[in-house]
Amino acid sequence: MHLYKPACADIPSPKLGLPKSSESALKCRRHIAVTKPPPQAACWPVRPSGAAERKYLEKFLRVHGISLQETTRAETGMAYRNLGKSGLRVSCLGLGTWVTFGGQISDEVAERLMTIAYESGVNLFDTAEVYAAGKAEVILGSIIKKKGWRRSSLVITTKLYWGGKAETERGLSRKHIIEGLKGSLQRLQLEYVDVVFANRPDSNTPMEEIVRAMTHVINQGMAMYWGTSRWSAMEIMEAYSVARQFNMIPPVCEQAEYHLFQREKVEVQLPELYHKIGVGAMTWSPLACGIISGKYGNGVPESSRASLKCYQWLKERIVSEEGRKQQNKLKDLSPIAERLGCTLPQLAVGPEQMGTEEMLPDSHPSFTSVFIQQTCNKYLPCTAWCLRNEGVSSVLLGSSTPEQLIENLGAIQDHLFLAANSGLTTFPGEEVDWIWNCQPKANVANM
């Protein structure tokens, strides 16, 4: 085998330059590169507004012989939001199973609650492996199977951290996340959950291991998304950074307690995460374990949550000096609720700033001008707390009776829709903050 060795004469000298033809072609390319106009910014697609998107959607459906009036949203009047900045649409109110399923209520009442919620447009149902030692998941799954609801119409979420007494049955290790989720799916009789939450942070497990395990269960089809619960903003940001660093899946949602007594995390810390990394909030306990409902004003009723043996901490909280102060403040809020034409629970749950495009099509039975004119003097907008924050995707309700659930669902239905369409959107927030004296410090400083 002979290798060609070029002679010195065959190698062009850099000082001699290129042939004229090559120089001309190079100049031509340079000229084109210089004179080529930059890409126009207008060429990039712009996301249409709500009204334009609705118009495009109606046109698309008309071609296929479908109408928006046939959707669950139009038939029930339920409002829906994206879960954080993800594309998953969840009902603004969800049904939680903490304390109630497998504990405070019977299986028959649980089935009735889920039926009322589902028929009212609620698609979000939340549970956890620790609720009633897994029995809550069993009841939830049995009802879904019995009802025969389409799995694609539901958003089922569960939470992992405490699955048993053994050392390896708790925490957020890769082992427990995978095994714990498999156990939850068996109890739920489902192939997957829509969102799996880390129920609390785990200082014993590296953040990279947690994120990798969550990414694994999503890639394996056991979950669609993952989120956090009771995590600090710093811990959520660390999880997001680790996910981006190693090309893994970041969390989309944080479950946080949010009510008139507990405001700082959702109103001060989470909005920044929502705007920067798209992590939304799924809030729970809007009535502060029933305190805001006013039922503990004259003591602890026998059928209440605080009367249960395993919830003595709640009873102690209610009868404490701080609890008595909160009850007195509730009495001061009653006149505001009466003036708005709603109850204290509705005042604590109902959305404040949701446009009609986001809420409901004009086909809702409440959306007639005659109805609005006849009732706008009777019902002022039942606008209130939890859903007024744009980063709050959904509020989880923990009702123990059908009557409670129907009342809370009414917080975003008839009263809210009437308010949105009659132009009555004023909420006495400053008055409530002054009476309650619970506005977060950061918000006070920015005023």
Side-chain angles (χ1 to χ4, degrees):
M1 180 177 179
H2 299 282
L3 297 177
Y4 170 71
K5 183 178 180 181
C8 294
D10 296 335
I11 302 176
S13 174
K15 294 182 180 181
L16 298 177
L18 297 172
K20 290 184 178 182
S21 59
S22 301
E23 290 180 357
S24 301
L26 182 58
K27 288 180 180 180
C28 182
R29 285 197 298 270
R30 287 176 179 172
H31 176 71
I32 294 174
V34 172
T35 58
K36 186 177 181 180
Q40 297 293 328
C43 295
W44 295 101
V46 179
R47 184 180 291 269
S49 62
E53 175 63 24
R54 179 185 175 87
K55 184 177 180 181
Y56 296 151
L57 181 58
E58 289 177 343
K59 184 177 179 181
F60 169 79
L61 294 177
R62 196 181 305 116
V63 174
H64 299 280
I66 306 174
S67 172
L68 278 178
Q69 318 307 327
E70 303 172 7
T71 62
T72 302
R73 179 176 175 180
E75 293 174 352
T76 64
M78 177 57 65
Y80 298 87
R81 289 182 175 180
N82 287 54
L83 184 62
K85 292 294 182 69
S86 75
L88 182 63
R89 298 286 284 178
V90 295
S91 52
C92 285
L93 293 181
L95 184 62
T97 60
W98 179 42
V99 182
T100 52
F101 282 42
Q104 189 179 6
I105 63 176
S106 64
D107 295 359
E108 292 75 17
V109 174
E111 181 179 344
R112 190 177 175 192
L113 290 174
M114 284 193 64
T115 303
I116 293 172
Y118 185 78
E119 292 178 352
S120 299
V122 172
N123 68 355
L124 175 61
F125 298 91
D126 177 75
T127 187
E129 64 174 355
V130 71
Y131 292 173
K135 189 177 179 181
E137 291 180 322
V138 173
I139 296 173
L140 180 64
S142 298
I143 295 173
I144 294 173
K145 185 176 181 179
K146 179 180 178 181
K147 289 294 182 178
W149 294 328
R150 299 189 315 279
R151 179 63 183 90
S152 57
S153 68
L154 300 170
V155 176
I156 307 299
T157 68
T158 191
K159 295 180 286 293
L160 302 174
Y161 185 85
W162 191 276
K165 298 180 180 180
E167 194 71 17
T168 54
E169 292 178 328
R170 58 178 180 264
L172 297 177
S173 65
R174 179 182 176 91
K175 176 181 176 62
H176 181 60
I177 287 177
I178 296 174
E179 293 178 346
L181 184 53
K182 286 182 178 179
S184 292
L185 293 177
Q186 290 176 358
R187 290 187 290 271
L188 288 166
Q189 303 180 64
L190 298 175
E191 295 180 357
Y192 67 93
V193 293
D194 296 276
V195 187
V196 55
F197 287 95
N199 205 3
R200 53 160 293 175
D202 182 8
S203 59
N204 293 323
T205 305
M207 185 62 72
E208 182 181 344
E209 181 176 345
I210 297 173
V211 179
R212 284 193 183 277
M214 290 296 188
T215 301
H216 172 77
V217 296
I218 291 175
N219 290 337
Q220 293 298 313
M222 300 165 65
M224 300 292 185
Y225 305 86
W226 78 278
T228 58
S229 180
R230 305 171 187 263
W231 284 33
S232 68
M234 184 177 298
E235 290 164 336
I236 297 172
M237 195 67 203
E238 181 185 357
Y240 176 85
S241 301
V242 168
R244 289 304 183 213
Q245 180 181 358
F246 296 104
N247 194 28
M248 295 185 291
I249 301 173
V252 299
C253 183
E254 158 69 8
Q255 272 199 16
E257 184 178 6
Y258 186 40
H259 47 73
L260 291 170
F261 303 131
Q262 188 79 26
R263 298 176 57 184
E264 185 172 353
K265 182 175 184 178
V266 174
E267 295 186 12
V268 178
Q269 301 174 12
L270 294 184
E272 185 176 1
L273 294 180
Y274 173 74
H275 290 291
K276 287 187 175 180
I277 63 176
V279 173
M282 184 185 294
T283 66
W284 50 277
S285 193
L287 302 181
C289 296
I291 296 176
I292 297 176
S293 67
K295 63 183 177 183
Y296 297 117
N298 298 319
V300 180
E302 293 183 0
S303 59
S304 65
R305 180 176 302 182
S307 64
L308 299 177
K309 184 177 180 180
C310 55
Y311 288 92
Q312 289 301 304
W313 58 269
L314 179 58
K315 183 177 181 180
E316 295 173 359
R317 173 181 169 185
I318 293 171
V319 300
S320 66
E321 182 179 355
E322 182 64 24
R324 289 193 294 269
K325 290 181 180 179
Q326 292 173 348
Q327 294 297 328
N328 292 332
K329 290 180 180 179
L330 283 173
K331 295 178 182 178
D332 295 334
L333 285 182
S334 296
I336 297 179
E338 293 176 0
R339 192 170 76 246
L340 294 175
C342 64
T343 64
L344 276 176
Q346 289 176 331
L347 183 70
V349 175
E352 177 178 307
Q353 296 172 346
M354 295 175 62
T356 57
E357 294 175 356
E358 181 183 351
M359 292 164 21
L360 192 71
D362 296 338
S363 62
H364 191 268
S366 299
F367 282 169
T368 63
S369 58
V370 175
F371 179 85
I372 291 174
Q373 291 173 0
Q374 291 177 348
T375 56
C376 65
N377 293 328
K378 181 179 179 182
Y379 295 106
L380 288 175
C382 186
T383 56
W385 221 257
C386 297
L387 286 169
R388 65 195 180 116
N389 189 318
E390 66 172 340
V392 175
S393 302
S394 185
V395 175
L396 297 175
L397 304 175
S399 303
S400 57
T401 65
E403 292 75 21
Q404 289 179 355
L405 180 59
I406 292 172
E407 180 182 1
N408 291 331
L409 289 172
I412 66 163
Q413 290 178 320
D414 294 332
H415 298 299
L416 176 64
F417 301 137
L418 169 63
N421 285 268
S422 60
L424 301 175
T425 56
T426 303
F427 176 75
E430 294 182 1
E431 184 179 357
V432 173
D433 287 337
W434 181 79
I435 292 175
W436 212 256
N437 191 26
C438 63
Q439 193 173 12
K441 295 180 180 180
N443 286 0
V444 175
N446 293 333
M447 290 183 61

